[in-house]
Amino acid sequence: MRITSVMKNTQLLRNLRNNNTEMLDWQNKLSTGQKISKPSDDPVGVGYQMRYTTELARNEQYLANAKTGYGWLSQTDSVLQQANSILQRLNTLTNQAANGTVTPEVREQIRLEVLQLREQMVTVGNSTYDGRHIFNGQMTDVRPYNSDTAADDVTDSGVYYLSVSPSVQVAVSLTGAQVFGEPGADDNIFKLFDDIAQQLEDDDQDAISGSLDKIMAGIDKINLNLAETGARMNRFELVESRIGDEKVSLTTLRSSVADVDMADAIVQLQLQQNVLQASLSMGAKISQMSLLDYIR
Amino acid sequence: MVSTFHGLETSKRSILTQATALHTVGNNISNAATEGYSRQRVNLKSADPVYVPGFTRLNTPGQIGTGVEYSSVTRVRDSYLDMQYRRENQDLGHFTVVNATMESIQTIINEPSDSGLSAVMNNFWNSLEVLNRDPNLLSARVDFIGNAKNLVDTFNKIGTSLTTLENDIDSNVEIKLNEANSLLEAIAEMNEVIRKTEVLGDNANDYRDQRDLLVDQLSKLVDVQYTEDVNGMMNIFVGGAQVVAGNEATPIAGPDTVTGGEVSGYAKAKEEIELVRSQLNALVDTFVRGEIDITMPNGYRTSTIMVAENDVQVTDANGVVTNYAAGTSIPAGSNITSSVTFKVNGFNGVHQLGYSINTPPETGLSFFVSSDNSVPFTINNIAVNGDILADTNKVAASGQYTMNGTAMETVKGNSGVALALAMLRDAKFTFPSTMTALSSGTTDDYFRAFVSDLGTRSQIALTGLDRSKNMVDNVEIRRQSVSGVSIDEELTEMLRFQHAYNAAARNLTAVDEMLDRIINGMGTVGR
């Protein structure tokens, strides 16, 4: 086959073009650290990369949800502890008053303290987290308990839910009715305070002794709710740690699809550089030789 | 016996012929780098010897040669390789254009990146989660509306960029067609010149080279079929219609008939853009209006008559529970307290269920509107409802209200509708089957499939381009091998002709000396 000088040139140019394209590609990969810079680089891989990115972003939100839920429940936990102490104090006072040897003055003092404890309980019932009332269901901007009518106040029965993974919601809040009893019911805690205050005023010894059982029942209910709160806090802790683990594995998976293996890329780039150098020097040598050099 | 000046004549012929051959070698060397040039050869043949057989021949042994002459000057060209080249060149032109367009489309779509549509959609859905977490928080509402506006703006921007690309293509097609038409004019002129030259018996080597170069250039723009008639004129057909007949050129009718080359590449490019646009339009329309079942796990309070897809419980103000079976009408104002599933029309449908927190509360608000009031929704006309943009309180996140006498009051802490909106992320929509093989999936799935599909089609264009580039290069190399000028070869030829010329000149001198002896030396005895 005849070889002409134009052929040699075309060949040289074509090979240089190919080498330079390869080098540019590897250079790009090295400087961005990304294997895929546009969908055509790896049509299947880009789908995976997008999926992992989305899941990582969603997990951030679930983590924030878990933290909020945990915070809400921590607040619930501490106010319930307070409620517990209040009822314990009430128990002590009522025990004292049930003792028949108490004088009317002491009984009056006990009654006043009971009323104070009632106000404290109302404050507990109106506790907030982040500006939202935690015992009023979904009507979180409305104060649930009014000091005068606490025993009969209706609280909202809605529940505050948070998502912790796609299509999974966890109930966070406790309703006022769950903690303090149904409005107007016999075992309503505020009604209990009202009754005891009244009994002290009337000096009704039998009724006061009867109330002691109701106080124990109230304390049991608070403890039950504490346990529920604790369980839910554990749930959110588990969610947080699960999301932490998932984040690591998702990031690893994403990296394997999207990131460049630096060592590999550097070796390839060096290889391309060598090839380019060889083709340039050979091209220069060959192009210069012709018969002209040898004919006088 | 030959004539006196036979030797002179032989040498003279040799000198002239070798000189012509040298001129041609010189021509070849000068044109070594010219595009489209094919090397020319002077075909030497020995001149007719004396004497011609007949009665008038002399009775001496013969025949005696009379030197060299050249019969023709021809160019070395393989027309089959030309045909191959033009065929591959059409594909090259086609794929160059298609590949360039796919690159542009990929730049417009901008995936994978932190600022592409995927990232914007992530932010949009995530801000819904934040809204669900605290529906009363003003910053959550503002953030959500901001992300929705961003999403809509991104769609609009993609739409405008695609339109601009289409317009560019349209003007490019005009330009290319004009280029092709002027090439056709030039070819027709060449046809005339070649005919005139060859009818007189010459080989129109250089003109043919020029015409072949023009046809090569034409083959990159459009598909060409050609035949050569007996007068040496080339008749060219584009898209089945004859555009060059002898020395007359008809302009190409339009881009629709062209089936190869860059012009057909532009047609394919427009198809690709149209497909991308339709796929995105289907995403937008289905997302905003597509029929979907949504579940509200914490119940809902109706404000109009509604039908649920499942059995539900309704609790009235006195605590009385009524059961409604799936498909039966639930009256307005009912407080559904069990998990309820409704069939709604897309994002707008869910938002319309919600109650806003301005006074008085509104319901039935569409979150997305069409900027030109047309349906279906497309990437060009999708916009966020101006009323909602102006007043963040109109984001209807709540699914509950209470009656204060006859006035409706929204339960502000309820995020039932916000939750349903956030759950739309995982809802499986049904997309039009003509747009995608994915018959049902989430919006995220659909967009991922769309990007992968775009990547695959781009890869096909890129592979096509590489392949056709290689083919064209290979054919060109073979053409060069046949028609190209090899400097070494020409120099060797030059040596050959040069020696022949020198020898002929020497010969001439020898014959001249001989004649000198006869003319000036014979018959002058003793002088």
Side-chain angles (χ1 to χ4, degrees):
Chain A
M1 180 164 118
R2 274 182 79 241
I3 306 287
T4 65
S5 34
V6 175
M7 275 167 71
K8 283 192 269 188
N9 278 349
T10 312
Q11 185 95 305
L12 176 65
L13 283 173
R14 183 170 75 156
N15 290 331
L16 282 179
R17 186 181 71 213
N18 287 342
N19 284 342
N20 279 328
T21 311
E22 277 290 312
M23 270 190 60
L24 192 65
D25 192 40
W26 282 108
Q27 205 178 350
N28 196 27
K29 288 200 169 105
L30 261 183
S31 21
T32 60
Q34 296 291 319
K35 247 193 270 184
I36 305 177
S37 57
K38 49 189 198 300
S40 63
D41 288 343
D42 184 357
V44 173
V46 77
Y48 280 117
Q49 185 180 349
M50 287 167 70
R51 182 197 295 278
Y52 294 138
T53 311
T54 303
E55 292 199 10
L56 278 170
R58 288 187 87 171
N59 272 356
E60 291 296 315
Q61 278 309 312
Y62 292 137
L63 194 62
N65 279 355
K67 290 199 161 105
T68 304
Y70 193 84
W72 179 292
L73 288 166
S74 294
Q75 174 74 339
T76 311
D77 186 81
S78 68
V79 302
L80 284 179
Q81 304 271 18
Q82 277 182 36
N84 205 1
S85 335
I86 295 175
L87 284 179
Q88 295 287 0
R89 178 77 188 139
L90 182 67
N91 196 26
T92 314
L93 288 174
T94 315
N95 258 321
Q96 211 178 350
N99 191 342
T101 60
V102 161
T103 65
E105 291 83 19
V106 174
R107 224 181 311 125
E108 182 57 25
Q109 279 170 3
I110 292 177
R111 190 184 77 91
L112 286 172
E113 195 174 337
V114 165
L115 284 175
Q116 281 305 310
L117 287 174
R118 182 184 179 284
E119 286 314 305
Q120 187 62 21
M121 197 55 119
V122 169
T123 313
V124 165
N126 287 335
S127 341
T128 61
Y129 171 75
D130 219 9
R132 292 186 275 174
H133 292 275
I134 59 179
F135 291 121
N136 200 9
Q138 289 176 338
M139 302 182 68
T140 54
D141 54 329
V142 174
R143 210 154 59 102
Y145 291 112
N146 246 327
S147 147
D148 308 325
T149 55
D152 297 313
D153 277 337
V154 179
T155 57
D156 187 58
S157 57
V159 179
Y160 176 51
Y161 284 89
L162 283 175
S163 307
V164 293
S165 93
S167 316
V168 174
Q169 284 89 39
V170 176
V172 177
S173 64
L174 298 168
T175 60
Q178 251 178 308
V179 177
F180 300 110
E182 300 289 332
D186 210 30
D187 57 354
N188 184 306
I189 288 182
F190 296 111
K191 184 161 184 303
L192 191 58
F193 276 95
D194 291 337
D195 288 346
I196 291 179
Q198 190 61 45
Q199 287 153 8
L200 283 169
E201 208 176 312
D202 302 339
D203 199 13
D204 188 347
Q205 285 292 343
D206 297 323
I208 292 178
S209 310
S211 292
L212 279 171
D213 291 330
K214 288 197 191 154
I215 296 177
M216 292 320 289
I219 292 178
D220 281 341
K221 191 161 32 189
I222 299 277
N223 285 338
L224 204 63
N225 280 310
L226 270 170
E228 176 70 24
T229 308
R232 288 182 188 180
M233 279 167 81
N234 279 346
R235 174 97 189 258
F236 278 116
E237 263 178 5
L238 286 173
V239 165
E240 270 185 69
S241 95
R242 175 186 64 95
I243 290 179
D245 288 341
E246 250 186 41
K247 187 168 171 177
V248 171
S249 65
L250 278 175
T251 313
T252 313
L253 280 170
R254 185 176 175 282
S255 177
S256 70
V257 172
D259 291 343
V260 159
D261 179 351
M262 290 307 241
D264 188 36
I266 292 176
V267 166
Q268 288 294 330
L269 186 63
Q270 191 60 47
L271 196 69
Q272 289 301 322
Q273 251 180 317
N274 289 345
V275 171
L276 181 67
Q277 224 171 348
S279 67
L280 278 171
S281 77
M282 276 318 290
K285 283 201 177 69
I286 293 181
S287 309
Q288 283 166 14
M289 295 197 299
S290 86
L291 204 49
L292 276 165
D293 300 330
Y294 297 100
I295 294 183
R296 276 180 299 105
Chain B
M1 195 174 128
V2 295
S3 87
T4 318
F5 298 130
H6 180 99
L8 282 178
E9 195 58 34
T10 307
S11 298
K12 184 189 83 177
R13 278 187 190 173
S14 171
I15 287 174
L16 291 176
T17 309
Q18 305 306 337
T20 309
L22 271 173
H23 292 151
T24 309
V25 166
N27 186 31
N28 282 343
I29 292 180
S30 321
N31 282 315
T34 308
E35 194 187 348
Y37 178 81
S38 15
R39 65 196 167 104
Q40 293 168 356
R41 281 275 165 277
V42 172
N43 296 322
L44 303 176
K45 80 178 219 312
S46 47
D48 288 337
V50 291
Y51 284 93
V52 175
F55 282 120
T56 54
R57 88 174 260 291
L58 277 180
N59 269 332
T60 48
Q63 293 161 320
I64 307 212
T66 53
V68 68
E69 65 183 15
Y70 66 92
S71 56
S72 62
V73 181
T74 54
R75 63 176 192 151
V76 182
R77 189 118 185 167
D78 184 345
S79 57
Y80 173 66
L81 284 177
D82 279 336
M83 210 155 52
Q84 265 193 318
Y85 179 84
R86 283 154 196 167
R87 201 172 47 230
E88 299 302 334
N89 212 15
Q90 288 173 32
D91 277 348
L92 179 64
H94 176 96
F95 280 115
T96 308
V97 165
V98 174
N99 184 53
T101 308
M102 296 309 280
E103 298 271 328
S104 301
I105 295 179
Q106 287 184 89
T107 311
I108 291 175
I109 298 293
N110 195 17
E111 290 290 343
S113 88
D114 298 331
S115 49
L117 196 53
S118 171
V120 171
M121 288 209 289
N122 271 343
N123 287 343
F124 174 74
W125 290 116
N126 285 342
S127 64
L128 262 179
E129 281 287 338
V130 176
L131 184 65
N132 178 42
R133 220 168 28 236
D134 187 353
N136 260 341
L137 197 60
L138 182 63
S139 60
R141 283 169 177 260
V142 169
D143 191 40
F144 170 59
I145 289 184
N147 280 321
K149 185 101 193 3
N150 204 12
L151 180 69
V152 160
D153 283 345
T154 310
F155 275 127
N156 291 151
K157 177 91 198 327
I158 291 179
T160 332
S161 302
L162 287 177
T163 309
T164 312
L165 194 59
E166 271 176 338
N167 290 341
D168 282 347
I169 287 182
D170 282 335
S171 51
N172 275 346
V173 170
E174 275 304 306
I175 294 174
K176 294 289 172 184
L177 274 180
N178 286 342
E179 223 177 278
N181 284 335
S182 53
L183 283 173
L184 290 176
E185 297 271 343
I187 292 175
E189 274 172 34
M190 279 284 121
N191 272 345
E192 181 64 18
V193 170
I194 291 174
R195 183 187 68 87
K196 283 189 189 152
T197 314
E198 297 201 341
V199 86
L200 295 170
D202 287 336
N203 283 336
N205 295 320
D206 296 287
Y207 291 134
R208 274 180 181 265
D209 277 346
Q210 286 177 28
R211 185 176 68 183
D212 279 333
L213 186 61
L214 289 172
V215 178
D216 284 349
Q217 288 169 352
L218 186 67
S219 69
K220 189 156 195 201
L221 298 173
V222 292
D223 61 308
V224 285
Q225 253 97 42
Y226 54 92
T227 55
E228 197 168 306
D229 70 7
V230 59
N231 292 328
M233 298 204 283
M234 197 183 261
N235 294 324
I236 299 191
F237 297 82
V238 170
Q242 180 158 25
V243 286
V244 171
N247 56 358
E248 275 174 21
T250 348
I252 300 175
D256 308 324
T257 51
V258 176
T259 56
E262 288 183 359
V263 174
S264 78
Y266 281 119
K268 181 89 171 61
K270 279 186 82 165
E271 271 176 33
E272 293 285 349
I273 295 178
E274 209 32 59
L275 180 61
V276 164
R277 187 196 288 279
S278 317
Q279 285 179 331
L280 284 176
N281 283 348
L283 173 66
V284 166
D285 192 48
T286 310
F287 166 65
V288 174
R289 296 192 313 153
E291 202 177 70
I292 189 79
D293 284 341
I294 54 126
T295 305
M296 300 177 76
N298 310 320
Y300 173 71
R301 184 147 185 192
T302 63
S303 58
T304 61
I305 297 178
M306 299 190 71
V307 172
E309 302 291 311
N310 62 334
D311 300 337
V312 296
Q313 282 181 340
V314 170
T315 313
D316 74 1
N318 303 323
V320 175
V321 173
T322 330
N323 285 325
Y324 286 87
T328 52
S329 297
I330 304 172
S334 312
N335 192 2
I336 302 173
T337 46
S338 62
S339 164
V340 59
T341 306
F342 290 119
K343 199 182 274 296
V344 294
N345 287 330
F347 194 92
N348 270 355
V350 179
H351 191 261
Q352 281 164 355
L353 292 177
Y355 302 102
S356 65
I357 57 173
N358 56 337
T359 336
E362 290 173 55
T363 182
L365 291 163
S366 299
F367 190 80
F368 290 111
V369 296
S370 160
S371 60
D372 58 1
N373 292 326
S374 70
V375 281
F377 283 90
T378 66
I379 53 179
N380 288 96
N381 68 15
I382 187 171
V384 178
N385 190 338
D387 294 337
I388 297 183
L389 278 178
D391 183 3
T392 62
N393 287 334
K394 294 200 181 185
V395 174
S398 170
Q400 284 281 351
Y401 63 91
T402 52
M403 295 304 292
N404 192 357
T406 51
M408 215 163 89
E409 260 178 30
T410 312
V411 175
K412 291 191 183 161
N414 179 294
S415 61
V417 171
L419 184 64
L421 286 172
M423 282 163 74
L424 271 183
R425 185 174 205 174
D426 298 309
K428 289 198 186 306
F429 287 91
T430 310
F431 294 96
S433 57
T434 48
M435 286 303 124
T436 170
L438 188 74
S439 57
S440 95
T442 67
T443 51
D444 284 340
D445 286 340
Y446 181 86
F447 188 66
R448 272 195 292 268
F450 161 76
V451 171
S452 289
D453 191 33
L454 179 66
T456 311
R457 295 205 311 278
S458 305
Q459 221 178 37
I460 290 176
L462 194 61
T463 329
L465 179 64
D466 272 344
R467 186 176 37 84
S468 56
K469 228 189 265 189
N470 276 339
M471 294 294 282
V472 166
D473 279 345
N474 280 341
V475 177
E476 179 60 20
I477 284 183
R478 295 219 307 279
R479 272 210 312 192
Q480 284 299 321
S481 171
V482 169
S483 314
V485 171
S486 162
I487 302 268
D488 297 342
E489 193 183 17
E490 297 302 318
L491 288 173
T492 318
E493 294 286 294
M494 190 177 82
L495 282 178
R496 183 159 72 104
F497 296 133
Q498 199 180 10
H499 282 311
Y501 183 91
N502 290 344
R506 274 280 175 84
N507 194 23
L508 192 63
T509 314
V511 172
D512 180 45
E513 274 181 18
M514 278 169 23
L515 285 175
D516 182 51
R517 184 153 302 284
I518 293 175
I519 294 172
N520 292 329
M522 267 174 84
T524 58
V525 176
R527 239 207 293 136

